[in-house]
Amino acid sequence: MRVTGLPRDPGPAAWNRLLPAPPPPTPLSGDRKSDWLVIGAGFAGLAAARRLSQIREGDTIAILDAVRVGDGPAGRNSGFMIDLPHDLSSDNYGGDQQQDQAQIEAKRAAIAFARDAAQEYGLPSEPITLSGKINAAASSRGMRHNADYAAHLASLGEAHAMYDAAQMQAITGSDYYQGGLFTPGAAMIQPAMFVRGMAQGLQSNRITLHENSPVTGLTRSQGVWTASTPAGSVAAPNVVLAVNGHAESFGFFRRRLMHVFTYASMTRALSGDEIAALGGIAVWGATPADPLGTTVRRISGIGGDRIVIRNRFTYDPGMTVNERRIASVGRDHDKAFQARFPVLKGVAMEYRWGGRLCLSRNNVPAFGEVEDSLFAACCQNGLGTAKGTFAGIAAADLAAGEDTLFTRHQLAAAPPARLPPEPLAWIGANARMRWGERAAGKEM
Ligand SMILES: Cc1cc2nc3c(=O)[nH]c(=O)nc-3n(C[C@H](O)[C@H](O)[C@H](O)COP(=O)(O)OP(=O)(O)OC[C@H]3O[C@@H](n4cnc5c(N)ncnc54)[C@H](O)[C@@H]3O)c2cc1C
């Protein structure tokens, strides 16, 4: 099969720009053989490779990615590795009680897997810390969402704490928020630092990573898959396809995956005076009480002290957006930033970027053995830090014939539902998101 589209990531991958330049890449050249091929070095691909290295000791694993690790969506996100239900298409993130319980179990196991990897690879705490996160509310509507979410968590027996406006100000330095709902089980990651640390830790004489090596064709003959890149090929009997929405470019799940972009801006490093004027604590993360509102992080680490803002969703079935879109969404980021931090008037955004999400209409993964010995670990429904990790583990387990918590969870899901034809899907999805963003009001 010919791959019909390659990833195009708009704007700089800011988290990766904060880090020292990585060693030069080693793009694939020449024809190679491997026991396993993993396509995609995001959360799903790296988790699959690590899991395979644990359950298939001695096997060789080749990992290919079209871009540098940390430059793709896995290095572009807001870094909330969330253990609880967080359905972006719901009003208050909650869902069916039984499904939520199963999801919590799988996500926590994925977070534990990521933390174990970080420990084994000797990563410091900045790439991944189990610090919890706040669902911040800036309006009475947001407060109601939080109250509903808290009731749902109580019915699941999940720990949480409600913060009032004064507590929120003590944390964030901002008087913008009326309240917050703290949950302790989320891990916060520096996404580029985390995936680069994983990729570095994985590589050995059995596991090789080739960046800047886009797979342009994938064929099978006599029980062996061959993936072609511009300068070489890998032949392997088993393949894990971990390319999220680009599964469709490989010919799978056609008209069943929604390609959505979301966007973020990161300030320049704050000065000592600005930090003092802002107040609050040095590191915190807040998701919005309304799923279509604004996510905010304050970070302190390798790139100094900064604020990161994320908002807006757009449905772009062509999987690309242009620079004009980044600039126009940037105005929404500035509005959200100034409303929350008027004391930082004059602090400019240093980086603005966007990144692809893959959603399905029925909020399920694109998972399973899609052709003989070709296993998809795709479509993370916007929450790929945790869901991508467990999809990757599950694909490795399934491919290796293991029946685990991860395979059972993934295989229990229905297949992604078919989308309406274009332009109906485009009109419907964008209208729904615009309406939801307007309704989010002060949570934006
Ligand atoms: C601004 C923003 C904020 C976000 N915030 C969060 C958050 O706080 N929490 C959260 O859980 N999620 C968040 N996300 C979503 C999260 O980043 C994704 O869900 C996650 O990256 C998906 O992981 P993945 O491994 O499945 O896919 P990806 O990270 O997309 O990795 C797939 C890889 O496959 C590669 N690839 C594609 N096609 C080919 C090919 N033909 N050949 C070779 N390689 C190929 C790509 O280059 C890419 O590196 C956010 C996303 C964005 C953009």
Side-chain angles (χ1 to χ4, degrees):
M1 86 198 51
R2 199 174 60 80
V3 178
T4 55
L6 294 176
R8 283 174 52 198
D9 302 299
W15 298 97
N16 210 9
R17 298 291 94 80
L18 300 183
L19 306 180
T26 44
L28 182 69
S29 75
D31 300 327
R32 309 186 39 153
K33 287 184 180 159
S34 182
D35 296 315
W36 299 88
L37 168 63
V38 176
I39 307 176
F43 295 96
L46 294 170
R50 175 170 163 83
R51 183 65 153 202
L52 286 170
S53 74
Q54 293 170 329
I55 56 181
R56 282 288 183 268
E57 273 181 56
D59 282 7
T60 51
I61 304 168
I63 311 169
L64 300 177
D65 201 294
V67 302
R68 299 293 323 254
V69 171
D71 274 354
R76 290 174 171 257
N77 56 74
S78 302
F80 290 79
M81 200 167 195
I82 300 172
D83 59 328
L84 293 169
H86 195 89
D87 177 359
L88 293 176
S89 61
S90 71
D91 283 342
N92 63 6
Y93 297 116
D96 169 88
Q97 183 131 354
Q98 221 177 346
Q99 279 173 10
D100 280 353
Q101 250 147 1
Q103 206 187 117
I104 291 168
E105 190 185 14
K107 282 168 144 185
R108 288 201 176 134
I111 291 172
F113 177 90
R115 294 180 73 211
D116 284 351
Q119 198 179 15
E120 186 182 324
Y121 302 148
L123 305 190
S125 63
E126 190 175 350
I128 180 162
T129 307
L130 193 74
S131 55
K133 60 119 183 145
I134 303 166
N135 223 36
S139 62
S140 45
R141 191 165 178 267
M143 293 294 278
R144 278 199 304 278
H145 280 314
N146 266 359
D148 287 354
Y149 190 30
H152 185 60
L153 293 178
S155 73
L156 292 167
E158 288 297 336
H160 59 279
M162 294 306 260
Y163 293 160
D164 62 18
Q167 286 167 302
M168 287 300 285
Q169 186 162 7
I171 294 166
T172 64
S174 168
D175 62 5
Y176 191 75
Y177 296 112
Q178 294 186 12
L181 167 55
F182 174 77
T183 50
M188 297 303 297
I189 61 173
Q190 204 288 23
M193 215 174 184
F194 176 76
V195 288
R196 273 175 57 176
M198 279 283 281
Q200 198 183 347
L202 269 170
Q203 287 176 77
S204 67
N205 54 2
R206 291 195 297 114
I207 306 179
T208 49
L209 165 69
H210 299 285
E211 300 164 282
N212 294 352
S213 302
V215 174
T216 52
L218 187 61
T219 52
R220 189 163 191 260
S221 158
Q222 295 175 340
V224 176
W225 287 100
T226 300
S228 318
T229 68
S233 70
V234 175
N238 302 292
V239 178
V240 175
L241 187 65
V243 293
N244 211 14
H246 271 289
E248 201 165 350
S249 306
F250 283 77
F252 300 112
F253 305 101
R254 285 227 165 105
R255 297 295 310 144
R256 288 171 189 272
L257 305 181
M258 297 175 66
H259 307 296
V260 169
F261 278 76
T262 188
Y263 307 86
S265 295
M266 181 187 280
T267 66
R268 61 162 168 75
L270 304 178
S271 68
D273 287 349
E274 286 161 348
I275 292 167
L278 172 61
I281 61 174
V283 177
W284 53 269
T287 46
D290 184 308
L292 291 182
T294 296
T295 299
V296 185
R297 273 186 80 173
R298 182 165 161 201
I299 56 171
S300 181
I302 199 162
D305 291 73
R306 297 171 186 252
I307 289 180
V308 189
I309 299 280
R310 186 216 54 82
N311 66 31
R312 299 290 314 274
F313 292 99
T314 58
Y315 171 63
D316 298 282
M319 284 191 257
T320 57
V321 297
N322 59 29
E323 290 301 320
R324 275 201 317 276
R325 173 78 64 69
I326 303 293
S328 80
V329 170
R331 290 192 280 279
D332 294 314
H333 294 164
D334 291 347
K335 236 187 270 170
F337 176 68
Q338 282 151 20
R340 285 162 178 78
F341 307 105
V343 68
L344 296 180
K345 193 165 185 270
V347 172
M349 296 295 170
E350 184 172 349
Y351 300 107
R352 297 188 193 280
W353 71 96
R356 285 180 311 281
L357 309 178
C358 176
L359 311 183
S360 59
R361 265 178 106 185
N362 47 343
N363 196 24
V364 294
F367 180 82
E369 187 170 5
V370 289
E371 296 245 349
D372 282 352
S373 304
L374 175 58
F375 299 86
C378 300
C379 197
Q380 324 303 0
N381 289 287
L383 295 166
T385 59
K387 287 190 174 182
T389 301
F390 75 67
I393 303 169
D397 286 349
L398 185 67
E402 310 262 339
D403 172 22
T404 63
L405 156 73
F406 299 100
T407 55
R408 284 194 292 278
H409 184 272
Q410 292 291 88
L411 292 173
R418 185 169 281 286
L419 303 180
E422 298 297 351
L424 273 187
W426 186 88
I427 295 167
N430 279 310
R432 185 158 180 249
M433 289 189 281
R434 283 308 72 69
W435 180 85
E437 286 168 352
R438 266 197 289 276
K442 276 195 86 183
E443 309 304 334
M444 265 298 274

